[in-house]
């Protein structure tokens, strides 16, 4: 039987770098951060929609932000588009479709962004402050006592005297 030859597939140069990135945990940290960020966005949306906007609406005469819009004009060379709707009397009627610029939704999204940016700013500021406190504690902590330095090596005279001493001990 002939020896089967294994086919080697050359991996792209970035593959090993990607594996190292994924194994180090950076990818997992990024995934967890994304999930937490998405969950935090829903909290921010609710804060804007359910808490801040009702207060703002007090000053706008009770208008809902979803209803704040501007009807855009139809260009004269474009034929109007109609849709069938049911009126209050229950009759089906043709109504022209109007294109709206819903600036209320956009304003709500801008407010959401500023709230989210503000919270992230304070979170980063808090984490930086914690890091500074940790560094200060490390700097203030007394350093571990170092081992006493090794005694200096004896001079030639001391070595010679030690040899003479040892010889005299042997003769006794």
């Amino acid at each position: 039987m002939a020896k089967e030859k294994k086919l080697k597939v050359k991996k792209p140069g970035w593959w090993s770098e990607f594996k190292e990135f994924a194994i180090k945990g950076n990818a997992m940290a990024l995934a967890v951060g994304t999930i937490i960020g998405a969950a935090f966005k829903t909290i921010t949306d609710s804060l804007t929609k359910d808490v801040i906007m009702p207060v703002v609406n007090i000053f706008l005469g009770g208008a809902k932000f979803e209803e704040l819009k501007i009807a855009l004009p139809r260009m004269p060379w474009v034929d109007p588009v109609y849709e069938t709707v049911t009126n209050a009397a229950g009759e089906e009627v043709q109504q022209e479709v109007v294109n709206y610029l819903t600036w209320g939704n956009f304003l709500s999204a801008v407010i959401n962004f500023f709230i989210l940016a503000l919270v992230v700013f304070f979170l980063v500021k808090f984490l930086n402050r914690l890091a500074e406190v940790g560094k200060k504690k490390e700097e203030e902590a007394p350093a571990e006592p170092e081992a006493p330095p090794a005694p200096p090596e004896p001079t030639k005279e001391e070595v010679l005297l030690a040899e003479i001493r040892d010889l005299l001990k042997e003769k006794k």
Side-chain angles (χ1 to χ4, degrees):
M1 284 187 134
K3 227 180 188 182
E4 285 187 32
K5 198 174 188 182
K6 285 191 176 182
L7 181 64
K8 284 193 174 182
V9 177
K10 185 172 182 188
K11 295 177 184 169
W14 54 265
W15 182 251
S16 61
E17 187 178 345
F18 173 74
K19 279 183 16 184
E20 183 179 331
F21 167 79
I23 290 172
K24 275 187 178 178
N26 293 342
M28 289 304 294
L30 183 62
V32 169
T34 302
I35 291 168
I36 289 174
F40 188 72
K41 182 189 178 308
T42 59
I43 293 171
T44 306
D45 287 345
S46 177
L47 175 68
T48 303
K49 181 180 175 188
D50 302 329
V51 177
I52 294 174
M53 290 308 174
V55 174
V56 171
N57 286 340
I58 292 172
F59 300 104
L60 294 176
K64 294 183 180 176
F65 265 69
E66 298 84 32
E67 296 173 1
L68 297 177
K69 55 190 171 188
I70 299 171
L72 299 175
R74 182 180 51 80
M75 296 296 127
W77 60 85
V78 177
D79 292 332
V81 177
Y82 294 96
E83 66 182 348
T84 304
V85 294
T86 305
N87 64 13
E91 303 167 333
E92 288 189 356
V93 293
Q94 293 287 320
Q95 179 178 344
E96 185 177 344
V97 176
V98 181
N99 191 16
Y100 290 103
L101 177 70
T102 53
W103 65 273
N105 289 337
F106 176 73
L107 184 60
S108 180
V110 169
I111 292 171
N112 274 342
F113 168 77
F114 281 120
I115 291 170
L116 190 59
L118 190 65
V119 168
V120 169
F121 169 75
F122 284 118
L123 179 65
V124 169
K125 188 173 180 174
F126 174 73
L127 292 175
N128 287 341
R129 184 168 290 155
L130 282 179
E132 287 176 11
V133 168
K135 284 183 182 178
K136 284 182 182 177
K137 283 186 179 180
E138 284 179 10
E139 291 171 359
E140 291 174 359
E144 291 182 21
E146 294 182 18
E153 290 194 27
T155 63
K156 289 181 183 179
E157 291 175 348
E158 292 173 334
V159 171
L160 184 61
L161 287 172
E163 288 176 5
I164 292 171
R165 180 196 65 210
D166 293 341
L167 286 172
L168 286 174
K169 280 185 182 177
E170 289 176 11
K171 284 186 178 180
K172 282 191 178 180

